[in-house]
Amino acid sequence: MSIIKELKESLKEIVKESGYEEDDLAFSLSQRKDLGDYQLNDALKLASKYHENPIQIAEKIAGNLKKDARFINVNIAGPGFINFSLSDEFLCKSMNLIIENKENNIDKEEEKKIFMDYGGANIAKTLHVGHLRSANIGEAVKRLSRALGYNVISDVHFGDIGRQSGMVISEIKEEHPNLPYFDENYKGDYNDIDFEITEDDLGRIYPLANTKAKEDPKKMEEVIEITRKLEEGHKGYNALWNKIKEVSIKDIKGVYKKIGTTFDLYEGESDCYPYIPEMINEMRKKGYLRKSEDAEVIDVKEDTDKEPMPPLVVVKSNGGALYATRDLATIKSRMERFNPDEIWYFADNRQSLYFEQVFRAARKTGLVNKETKLGFYGFGTMNGEDGKPFKTRDGGVMSLKELIKIVTDEEEKKVNEDIVGKENKTKVAEMVGISSLKYADLIPYRETDYIFSKDKFLSLDGKTAPYLLYSVVRIKSLLKKADEKCYMVTKLKGTEDRKLMLTLLNLPTVLTNSLKIKSLNELSDYIYELTSAYNSFYNSNKILTEKDEKLKSSWIALSKLVYDTNIYILNILGLEVPEKM
Ligand code: ARG
């Protein structure tokens, strides 16, 4: 158990000894440092619960607090707010416990198997800024979950089937009508394919085919027909599509690697096809499917719904599968193969109603166990200065690659060659540029939209990655100048160093909360606070030339602890630290 949690438990005990029960203590770091490190604001609530005078309650609790040597400077303010600080001895001891084992500063969760679905890149379509959010937030939540002890399996869930496949194939057919893959009797397979296509071709083909199909109903009909045949196993189309998949996945993986996202499974929507027939049969047999026009739907409305909840279409009028069919069959596959306790999805907020329908359908039709939790964690959009989704200068979709290039190029102008070395300039610019983009994306609460600003994201001041990274690099160089010795915290001066220690003790609360809300905003704020607290400590003390040896080694130990904690958090957030900056 973390030190802060142990403290909370002790406080609960003390309140109990004083004659009161309170499970959810109003205990927090104090805003008024002159009154104490912490405040305990339960007396008022207890007063109405126990019909007693709040001041008397506060006095009883405070009296018992004073008996515990960990708590000093216990005082009561206003109508019964208790303030207190931690003794120097206890603070030092706590820091050393964390130095000994960082597990003393996190609270592990109960063991659980989580299946995470994030990333969601689409084959043959350009990765756009929305995919940054899914990959970035999803990856950070995965790392946080693992740090807190969950067993996580992650899957990218490629959009590798559906109308875009028909579009791309139809356009290739138009441009290369003589290829053998369009022949109904094509006998070869994917390994025989003799057709070169590049990522750039795909980048050009999909938007073109999309426009054509939207403008020409006949073209659209052909696209739908090709898509259906592809799904039904048309040999030539499948050979061609597999080739396209290979090229596209290689490219997508390259971008994911750049932004530090990796998955345990690189499966796609199409991998669930073997599960579809049995699933649909079962659903029909058990009477869950209802004919609606020519399609088949599942009713998912519940009596308590206040908002409209349309039925979920599971079989198309032409008998084919659609996005929802694939998500349901994928749940079936995941349950049968991995039997997770929970499945979490990270996608754009605009898919929230859709996922609610899917979850209800999965529950209703028994695809998941009663206890299995299905969670949708949506996110807002990255907007331009105009408040609309961030676009390219000519109004097109901003690709993730372009976005990375914008921040990297800008950062390259700032990198100091003399410090990082000429040969490292581009690498450092990319590292810092991408980290800036990622950190800015994690700062707002997951569901909140935010505005892209390369100047703000890359600034060396304020809540930015360059500020954090620069500080870490500076602590590292300070530590290099100190001896290799293993330092302990034995003394504190009592101002900045105390604030730093209290901030460190607060980490477990932030980690636990962040996991609860599946958002990194609190942790992003926290690392900024920790860094700022360290920087004011650093600026007001001459650590390496301090005469008091006890103080000096305590400060070095504290610096090392802040450094390690920073690295730990940066790793969860997925931000890379350059050697020099
Ligand atoms: N490929 C989808 C998109 O780009 C996201 C997939 C989300 N996951 C899922 N299981 N449907 O919007």
Side-chain angles (χ1 to χ4, degrees):
M1 200 190 318
S2 71
I3 295 159
I4 194 80
K5 196 164 177 190
E6 247 169 54
L7 269 182
K8 273 184 217 161
E9 292 301 317
S10 306
L11 290 173
K12 239 189 256 172
E13 270 308 302
I14 289 171
V15 169
K16 202 168 164 191
E17 271 165 35
S18 313
Y20 312 99
E21 288 283 346
E22 179 55 54
D23 234 24
D24 188 22
L25 286 185
F27 163 66
S28 61
L29 273 167
S30 176
Q31 300 304 320
R32 293 268 316 263
K33 290 290 174 235
D34 52 320
L35 296 176
D37 298 337
Y38 294 104
Q39 53 193 29
L40 186 65
N41 292 345
D42 292 283
L44 270 73
K45 202 162 64 181
L46 292 172
S48 63
K49 190 166 156 192
Y50 288 89
H51 307 291
E52 277 180 47
N53 180 331
I55 291 278
Q56 276 168 7
I57 297 177
E59 275 168 0
K60 268 197 245 174
I61 298 174
N64 283 327
L65 272 175
K66 283 178 188 162
K67 291 183 200 156
D68 189 320
R70 290 175 292 178
F71 308 118
I72 56 163
N73 182 24
V74 183
N75 64 84
I76 298 169
F81 301 124
I82 305 171
N83 303 296
F84 62 89
S85 296
L86 297 177
S87 73
D88 285 12
E89 200 195 342
F90 178 69
L91 270 179
C92 292
K93 203 176 113 197
S94 302
M95 291 305 112
N96 294 329
L97 275 175
I98 305 172
I99 289 170
E100 223 169 80
N101 185 355
K102 77 170 191 304
E103 302 275 311
N104 288 327
N105 209 27
I106 51 174
D107 288 309
K108 292 269 172 158
E109 298 286 333
E110 262 172 60
E111 241 173 75
K112 236 185 221 174
K113 192 195 271 182
I114 311 286
F115 197 101
M116 272 182 75
D117 177 316
Y118 66 97
N122 300 313
I123 302 299
K125 279 204 215 171
T126 312
L127 275 169
H128 58 74
V129 302
H131 292 115
L132 168 74
R133 299 222 72 191
S134 180
N136 191 35
I137 299 172
E139 178 73 21
V141 172
K142 178 183 77 181
R143 292 175 182 216
L144 175 63
S145 307
R146 287 190 175 148
L148 298 194
Y150 282 160
N151 168 7
V152 185
I153 306 160
S154 60
D155 178 25
V156 65
H157 201 65
F158 283 127
D160 62 352
I161 193 99
R163 201 158 291 174
Q164 90 260 26
S165 52
M167 286 187 179
V168 173
I169 295 174
S170 109
E171 180 58 28
I172 295 177
K173 194 170 178 179
E174 202 176 309
E175 292 179 15
H176 308 270
N178 296 327
L179 286 172
Y181 317 113
F182 312 117
D183 188 341
E184 296 299 318
N185 301 316
Y186 177 78
K187 287 276 184 303
D189 68 11
Y190 159 62
N191 297 319
D192 299 332
I193 197 130
D194 183 18
F195 175 59
E196 280 312 314
I197 189 156
T198 65
E199 183 43 40
D200 288 343
D201 297 332
L202 291 176
R204 174 186 65 81
I205 289 175
Y206 173 74
L208 179 66
N210 192 25
T211 318
K212 282 188 185 169
K214 279 200 179 127
E215 283 169 0
D216 177 2
K218 269 187 109 172
K219 191 86 195 161
M220 184 57 104
E221 245 172 62
E222 188 198 59
V223 165
I224 292 171
E225 184 62 11
I226 294 177
T227 311
R228 189 178 61 81
K229 285 190 173 161
L230 176 77
E231 285 177 33
E232 282 170 3
H234 185 289
K235 280 230 162 188
Y237 291 165
N238 272 286
L240 190 56
W241 185 240
N242 279 333
K243 175 75 189 176
I244 292 164
K245 264 186 12 189
E246 185 187 87
V247 173
S248 187
I249 287 176
K250 189 166 164 230
D251 181 63
I252 293 167
K253 278 189 175 172
V255 181
Y256 279 146
K257 188 168 174 216
K258 263 203 167 135
I259 60 168
T261 308
T262 53
F263 300 89
D264 302 308
L265 306 170
Y266 288 86
E267 297 188 357
E269 289 182 31
S270 72
D271 287 302
C272 73
Y273 275 76
Y275 293 83
I276 293 180
E278 191 194 308
M279 178 184 82
I280 297 292
N281 274 342
E282 281 283 297
M283 286 177 175
R284 277 204 192 109
K285 212 165 74 198
K286 293 189 181 145
Y288 293 122
L289 296 188
R290 170 170 70 79
K291 278 261 178 210
S292 169
E293 305 192 351
D294 280 332
E296 287 174 77
V297 303
I298 302 180
D299 288 308
V300 289
K301 203 171 147 39
E302 286 167 10
D303 292 343
T304 48
D305 284 338
K306 298 220 162 45
E307 302 291 325
M309 183 56 68
L312 185 67
V313 183
V314 179
V315 183
K316 277 202 288 200
S317 52
N318 69 3
L322 63 179
Y323 190 44
T325 327
R326 295 191 283 272
D327 261 320
L328 288 171
T330 302
I331 291 178
K332 183 176 164 68
S333 145
R334 288 173 181 170
M335 289 310 292
E336 286 180 13
R337 294 186 299 151
F338 303 102
N339 193 29
D341 298 304
E342 303 190 7
I343 309 180
W344 299 349
Y345 296 81
F346 290 80
D348 191 300
N349 256 340
R350 283 168 285 198
Q351 296 195 30
S352 83
L353 173 66
Y354 163 77
F355 273 105
E356 182 56 31
Q357 291 175 294
V358 168
F359 294 170
R360 288 186 184 192
R363 222 166 267 300
K364 185 172 177 179
T365 60
L367 289 180
V368 292
N369 308 324
K370 266 210 171 55
E371 321 75 56
T372 315
K373 208 182 137 206
L374 300 170
F376 171 70
Y377 305 103
F379 45 80
T381 45
M382 178 202 276
N383 293 331
E385 303 281 355
D386 59 357
K388 299 203 182 95
F390 193 41
K391 293 252 161 49
T392 56
R393 215 175 271 174
D394 52 12
V397 177
M398 172 65 74
S399 77
L400 185 45
K401 276 186 187 166
E402 255 173 293
L403 195 62
I404 292 173
K405 191 166 157 30
I406 293 175
V407 285
T408 312
D409 287 354
E410 187 68 16
E411 182 58 27
E412 188 141 10
K413 292 184 206 156
K414 301 185 173 193
V415 175
N416 187 337
E417 256 180 40
D418 298 335
I419 294 179
V420 305
K422 200 167 176 181
E423 66 287 5
N424 296 320
K425 195 174 169 187
T426 308
K427 206 176 104 206
V428 172
E430 192 168 283
M431 215 182 242
V432 177
I434 291 174
S435 288
S436 304
L437 187 63
K438 292 177 73 180
Y439 183 57
D441 184 70
L442 296 175
I443 292 172
Y445 172 62
R446 171 167 55 71
E447 290 187 83
T448 311
D449 299 344
Y450 68 99
I451 291 176
F452 175 83
S453 159
K454 63 175 189 225
D455 295 334
K456 192 171 145 203
F457 296 0
L458 295 169
S459 166
L460 202 51
D461 300 314
K463 207 184 276 179
T464 65
Y467 173 71
L468 302 180
L469 300 178
Y470 179 75
S471 305
V472 173
V473 170
R474 192 167 70 171
I475 309 181
K476 195 175 175 188
S477 101
L478 173 123
L479 292 172
K480 254 194 196 148
K481 287 180 202 143
D483 313 325
E484 282 291 311
K485 226 163 78 181
C486 179
Y487 294 98
M488 301 280 270
V489 182
T490 52
K491 188 173 179 184
L492 69 169
K493 199 163 153 188
T495 44
E496 269 81 18
D497 47 8
R498 169 172 288 268
K499 167 114 199 276
L500 202 45
M501 293 181 191
L502 295 172
T503 308
L504 283 165
L505 283 183
N506 215 29
L507 175 66
T509 316
V510 177
L511 291 174
T512 304
N513 274 346
S514 303
L515 183 57
K516 205 191 248 161
I517 60 174
K518 318 283 185 289
S519 175
L520 283 305
N521 54 305
E522 281 189 38
L523 190 58
S524 299
D525 286 346
Y526 175 86
I527 190 170
Y528 173 69
E529 273 166 37
L530 180 66
T531 304
S532 305
Y534 184 80
N535 285 342
S536 39
F537 158 77
Y538 179 93
N539 291 329
S540 44
N541 296 305
K542 299 242 168 311
I543 301 173
L544 293 178
T545 51
E546 172 60 43
K547 294 271 168 336
D548 180 339
E549 278 301 323
K550 249 180 137 177
L551 207 49
K552 180 180 165 184
S553 40
S554 296
W555 284 347
I556 293 174
L558 198 54
S559 298
K560 171 87 169 53
L561 182 54
V562 170
Y563 177 79
D564 289 343
T565 308
N566 264 320
I567 295 292
Y568 177 76
I569 300 171
L570 289 170
N571 188 36
I572 290 177
L573 301 179
L575 310 180
E576 272 195 275
V577 189
E579 266 304 303
K580 288 184 183 154
M581 205 179 145

